[in-house]
Amino acid sequence: MLEQYKIIIDPISGSVGLSAIAAALALVTLFLLLGVLRMKAWIAGLISLAVALVVAVVVYGMPVGQALLSASEGAAFGFFPILWIVINAIWVYNLTVSSGHFDVLRRNFGRISPDLRIQAIIIAFCFGALLEALAGFGTPVAITVVMLMALGFRPIHAASVSLIANTAPVAFGALAAPITALATVTHGASDHPGLNLETLGAMVGRQTPVLSIIVPLVLVAVVDGKRGVRQTWPAALVAGVSFGVAQFVAANYISVPLTDIVASLVATLAVVLLLRVWRPSESPDLSVSSETAGDGKAAAAVDGDTTVPATVGSGAATSTIERVEAEPRDSRADVFKAYAPYAIVIALFSIANIGAVKAALAVSPWTVKFQWPGLDVLTAAGKPQSSMMFAFGWLPAAGTLMIFAGILSAIVLGVRPGAALKAYVNTWVSLRHAIVTVMAVLALAYVLNQSGQTNTLGAFFAGAGGAFVFLSSILGWIGVAVTGSDTSANALFGALQVQTAARTGLDPVLLAAANSSGGVMGKMISPQNLAIAAAAVGMAGREGEIFRKVLGWSLVLLLFMCILVTLQSTPILGWMVVK
């Protein structure tokens, strides 16, 4: 039998302040390795995990066996359900690429409007949100930036637009993987009954939709300044409002994992319908010759590993209208097939979320719940740590549903079994470093939480009192800016937000949600996303230029979220908080 461990908050001389210095070592290490030394994320994650284990054993007195078991449980959760969702979702996307139907979808979007400002809304905001919903982890930026370049966007504009657009949908990305991580790490960090996927998703769904209204206006401002806003604000407003309303409704009343899928499709439909009765007063040709974008080639990297080559073109500059009209016309059957995978995903998840079906799948043998073998941790109050329980819902898991969606999509798209299997294997290979990174970060989070290091930091930050509600979004922003992932930031800081809330009298659900909602603005300035965007537009090594272009918007939107969350903690907007 392994020795039992009871969490302590002030292991160094009974001082929370001194103990907080030790508790912060692993996080500081991670931030320095990623943000300053620019080390590969998977290596930085493993080194930081090692630091957390040393602190847990040497400073907190956690038995080595319990520390390693905590790390193993976290790594397992990082794979299932988090990576299980990501891997299978990206496989579905890869099937559309290998079958050629992704190009059909791109051309279909391109014909909706020749105006580049409208294209920024449709491709970067609407379609980017759909990619974020299904895959996340850098995929939207990698793909949309190449599509924008192909339509004639200036390199710096293509990169900036894709990065800024990848904000509002991030909290629900990869079928709500960030919310799933948030719900898991906060469970047991407080006695609040609302720290679950549904409640946290609903709360985030009352914050990011407000942000969604602003983002499309920012996009057209980046592309064409004040003139762009003046001439295309109806389309930007329709896209933002429809996306925000759909995001709110889906997160609160339909399905948290389906939130971004529903919102992106509703926003796209709303813009398409608007364009049938309204057009901008003028559509200036803002495109440039592809010669100014480099040598005519672009490569979009996902998480630093997967490359998606795309030919931008070469030769004399042509207008956007000429470029779109020169492309082949697709049959209605091909267009139908291009949209089919997303319809299949929605159908499967809708069925799985029917009350009776959901309840049936939540019990054995479809879902198995057990205490992690050998792990024996007590809270500071002497109660069993609830995070020791592991739920293995192998059938109702979003990742498993995505496998079914992939099989059905392959049939509809006409992808042969051998080709589908090859695409699946290639997806695993391309994500090998991302797999290690996510598992290492979740292992780190579990060690921090179950050794008491998170409790120590929560007690320390509680000294900020009620002012912490303003800082909570900033903490999430820092986490995403450094790790490049809202999932990782939620894993690192979710429990800290909840424990600080409990000590300051603030609402744990509000602060946990603020960590995720505030974090989305850090996505556009994270080194990983900047590298993806720069590589895609032929500006590798010039990430600083793109960073300077988007930093101001990141800070402005962050300030907006900080104010919103602060007001939600008061009677002014307190009615927005999920009860």
Side-chain angles (χ1 to χ4, degrees), residues 229-260:
V229 176
R230 186 176 66 253
Q231 294 182 350
T232 62
W233 68 265
L237 202 58
V238 165
V241 171
S242 59
F243 186 94
V245 171
Q247 198 177 48
F248 164 76
V249 172
N252 282 269
Y253 305 110
I254 301 177
S255 165
V256 175
L258 284 179
T259 296
D260 276 349

Side-chain angles (χ1 to χ4, degrees), residues 189-251:
S190 168
D191 294 329
H192 196 287
L195 296 171
N196 53 58
L197 177 67
E198 288 73 22
T199 303
L200 290 172
M203 189 62 240
V204 175
R206 302 181 185 200
Q207 294 172 337
T208 56
V210 183
L211 182 70
S212 303
I213 299 173
I214 303 173
V215 172
L217 292 168
V218 173
L219 298 183
V220 295
V222 169
V223 176
D224 194 30
K226 294 181 179 179
R227 180 181 63 177
V229 176
R230 186 176 66 253
Q231 294 182 350
T232 62
W233 68 265
L237 202 58
V238 165
V241 171
S242 59
F243 186 94
V245 171
Q247 198 177 48
F248 164 76
V249 172

